[in-house]
């Protein structure tokens, strides 16, 4: 059976060139970078840090390596919220769980959190953000591109509001890096992840603007300039740097490829009855699309697609195994009695693969509806 992978928002394969760069650091160049004799390893790691910093217009010293996007989000929020008394924070109703649950924990400690609503397309209203800011607001956290909808927020306007108010801004930019939507000029802290751009799993980064009073959460050695203790994942960091280098080099080519796939998807779906595309039609990344499907069950549809060789999800990979409607769908007012599919493609997705998937999906939907009738 032919395998069709359409879950690139969950993870991407490691690019062969990235893997080639990583391999020596598992065997030949295995030394600890903190050791005196690990100078060359340290140099190579700093080169990777510079590659990531350059991609977002930051200084290398402003990049902290982490175990991934989840840790980066936790470090950003808790690094500001830790020990600051009963402060106020602002976020949105469609953030990733690694942001939502941190704020829920802060609320348990006596902090106040405002959760900004979104419109049907998944965008916040800048005026509502401005009105929510108060004298004790410490941090605003708004994701750049939503991992289920693909909707992009107006980060320039959000950044302008934060600057005018003197409030720090964090953004989870994990899904936006390949789109070129990430810049150190529009946030004080930015969370990044390697495995969304054909790098390895288990490595990410947090950009923290120079001068920000930010508290580390881990204590031990003096790695990452004392900001994130623990022996560094050197092969992962090298792989992240290589993936970022490749991402910048191929960015326009990848974006054009995804635009063509998106056009194909929209053209086909527009003729189907009972199927809608969620999210903004304009302000979005081209590689993530979310469908609402009438007269179908998410669980049944995902099971049938899997049996037909299609690897796809309903939403965030972090909620895999749960077929309940997600908090993102609830936030945009999506009814619960519909099936949901997230289609996400990447640089390796062939138009023929997408065509095959759409044919399979259409046949399965017809069968499910016939049974229901």
């Amino acid at each position: 059976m032919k395998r069709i992978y359409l879950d690139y928002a969950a993870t991407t394969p490691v690019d062969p060139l990235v893997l080639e760069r990583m391999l020596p650091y598992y065997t030949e160049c295995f030394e600890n970078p903190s050791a005196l004799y690990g100078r060359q390893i340290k140099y190579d790691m700093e080169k990777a840090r510079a590659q990531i910093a350059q991609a977002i217009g930051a200084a290398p010293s402003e990049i902290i390596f982490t175990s991934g996007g989840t840790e980066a989000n936790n470090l950003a929020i808790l690094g500001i919220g830790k020990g600051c008394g009963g402060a106020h924070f602002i976020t949105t109703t469609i953030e990733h769980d690694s942001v939502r649950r941190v704020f829920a924990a802060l609320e348990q400690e006596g902090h106040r959190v405002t959760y900004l609503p979104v419109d049907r397309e998944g965008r916040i209203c800048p005026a509502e953000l401005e009105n929510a800011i108060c004298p004790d607001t410490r941090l605003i956290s708004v994701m750049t591109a939503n991992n289920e909808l693909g909707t992009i927020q107006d980060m320039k306007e959000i950044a302008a509001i934060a600057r005018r108010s003197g409030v720090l801004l964090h953004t989870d930019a994990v899904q936006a890096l390949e789109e070129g939507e990430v810049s150190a000029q529009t946030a004080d802290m930015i969370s990044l992840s390697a495995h969304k751009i054909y790098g390895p799993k288990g490595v990410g980064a947090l950009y923290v603007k120079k001068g920000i009073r930010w508290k580390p959460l881990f204590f031990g050695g003096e790695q990452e300039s004392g900001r994130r203790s623990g022996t560094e994942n050197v092969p992962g960091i090298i792989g992240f740097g290589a993936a970022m280098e490749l991402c910048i080099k191929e960015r326009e080519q990848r974006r054009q490829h995804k635009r063509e796939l998106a056009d194909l998807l929209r053209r086909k779906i527009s003729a189907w009855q009972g199927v809608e595309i969620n999210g903004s039609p304009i302000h979005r990344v081209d590689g993530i699309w979310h469908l609402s499907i009438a007269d179908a069950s998410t669980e049944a549809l995902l099971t049938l697609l899997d049996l037909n060789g299609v690897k796809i999800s309903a939403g965030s990979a972090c909620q895999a195994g749960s077929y309940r409607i997600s908090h993102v769908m609830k936030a945009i007012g999506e009814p619960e009695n519909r099936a949901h599919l997230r289609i996400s493609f990447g640089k390796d997705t062939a138009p023929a693969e997408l065509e095959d998937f759409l044919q399979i999906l259409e046949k399965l939907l017809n069968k499910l509806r016939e049974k229901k009738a």
Side-chain angles (χ1 to χ4, degrees), residues 260-269 351 354-355 358:
E260 291 170 3
L261 292 171
D263 289 342
L264 170 62
L265 177 68
R266 282 183 290 201
R267 190 168 64 250
K268 294 283 185 179
I269 294 294
L354 188 56
E355 290 265 19
L358 292 170

Side-chain angles (χ1 to χ4, degrees), residues 8 13 45 77 144 151 163 178 185 192 214 221 242 264 342:
Y8 283 82
M45 200 173 71
I77 299 165
T144 302
T151 296
R163 279 195 296 269
E178 198 173 59
Q185 304 306 310
L192 307 170
W214 176 88
L264 170 62
R342 179 183 68 178

Side-chain angles (χ1 to χ4, degrees), residues 90-138:
I90 301 173
T91 188
T92 81
T93 53
I94 61 167
E95 298 299 307
H96 189 271
D97 276 347
S98 60
V99 168
R100 291 174 68 233
R101 292 185 179 184
V102 177
F103 281 121
L106 287 175
E107 285 183 293
Q108 292 294 315
E109 293 179 7
H111 299 284
R112 294 182 301 111
V113 181
T114 297
Y115 296 89
L116 297 173
V118 295
D119 60 22
R120 190 68 177 84
E121 295 182 355
R123 301 190 97 205
I124 66 167
C125 171
E128 289 186 5
L129 168 61
E130 196 152 23
N131 290 336
I133 296 171
C134 56
D136 61 344
T137 303
R138 292 291 302 270

Side-chain angles (χ1 to χ4, degrees), residues 13 55 65 111 113 116 189 258 276 289 301 305 326 348 369:
F65 285 118
H111 299 284
V113 181
L116 297 173
M189 294 185 289
K258 287 192 284 187
E276 296 178 7
W289 297 84
L301 193 53
L305 285 168
S326 74
D348 302 317
R369 286 164 178 167

Side-chain angles (χ1 to χ4, degrees), residues 13-277:
V14 175
D15 188 280
L17 290 174
V18 172
L19 181 59
E20 185 181 334
R21 293 265 194 96
M22 292 173 63
L23 286 176
Y25 296 89
Y26 285 109
T27 54
E28 304 160 32
C29 310
F30 63 88
E31 296 93 346
N32 192 315
S34 296
L36 179 63
Y37 51 78
R39 287 189 298 271
Q40 183 59 49
I41 311 298
K42 185 77 171 176
Y43 173 82
D44 295 343
M45 200 173 71
E46 293 308 312
K47 182 180 177 183
R49 194 190 307 276
Q51 288 169 321
I52 293 158
Q54 183 181 13
I56 64 170
S61 61
E62 296 174 314
I63 301 296
I64 302 169
F65 285 118
T66 70
S67 64
T70 290
E71 185 190 332
N73 285 337
N74 275 255
L75 289 181
I77 299 165
L78 294 175
I80 297 299
K82 185 180 176 185
C84 67
H88 177 240
F89 299 87
I90 301 173
T91 188
T92 81
T93 53
I94 61 167
E95 298 299 307
H96 189 271
D97 276 347
S98 60
V99 168
R100 291 174 68 233
R101 292 185 179 184
V102 177
F103 281 121
L106 287 175
E107 285 183 293
Q108 292 294 315
E109 293 179 7
H111 299 284
R112 294 182 301 111
V113 181
T114 297
Y115 296 89
L116 297 173
V118 295
D119 60 22
R120 190 68 177 84
E121 295 182 355
R123 301 190 97 205
I124 66 167
C125 171
E128 289 186 5
L129 168 61
E130 196 152 23
N131 290 336
I133 296 171
C134 56
D136 61 344
T137 303
R138 292 291 302 270
L139 179 71
I140 298 165
S141 182
V142 177
M143 71 194 318
T144 302
N146 185 264
N147 56 308
E148 291 189 37
L149 297 169
T151 296
I152 295 175
Q153 302 293 341
D154 186 349
M155 293 309 299
K156 289 184 179 178
E157 176 62 19
I158 292 168
I161 291 168
R163 279 195 296 269
R164 284 199 300 270
S165 306
V167 178
L168 295 175
L169 174 63
H170 163 253
T171 185
D172 173 353
V174 163
Q175 297 289 357
L177 200 49
E178 198 173 59
E179 302 291 327
E181 294 286 342
V182 186
S183 170
Q185 304 306 310
T186 56
D188 300 294
M189 294 185 289
I190 302 172
S191 298
L192 307 170
S193 181
H195 76 105
K196 307 295 187 181
I197 58 166
Y198 307 91
K201 298 175 185 66
V203 63
L206 176 65
Y207 158 74
V208 179
K209 187 177 181 180
K210 184 179 179 181
I212 290 178
R213 296 180 65 184
W214 176 88
K215 295 181 179 180
L217 302 185
F218 302 154
F219 299 93
E222 290 300 312
Q223 293 90 350
E224 298 302 292
S225 302
R227 298 174 298 179
R228 199 272 189 182
S229 295
T231 302
E232 297 93 342
N233 174 7
V234 177
I237 289 168
I238 298 299
F240 195 179
M244 186 69 82
E245 181 184 341
L246 210 57
C247 177
I248 296 169
K249 182 180 177 182
E250 297 179 353
R251 180 172 282 157
E252 196 47 50
Q253 178 185 338
R254 292 183 191 181
R255 292 185 70 179
Q256 182 58 37
H257 177 62
K258 287 192 284 187
R259 283 191 204 108
E260 291 170 3
L261 292 171
D263 289 342
L264 170 62
L265 177 68
R266 282 183 290 201
R267 190 168 64 250
K268 294 283 185 179
I269 294 294
S270 63
W272 294 5
Q273 293 294 319
V275 179
E276 296 178 7
I277 297 175

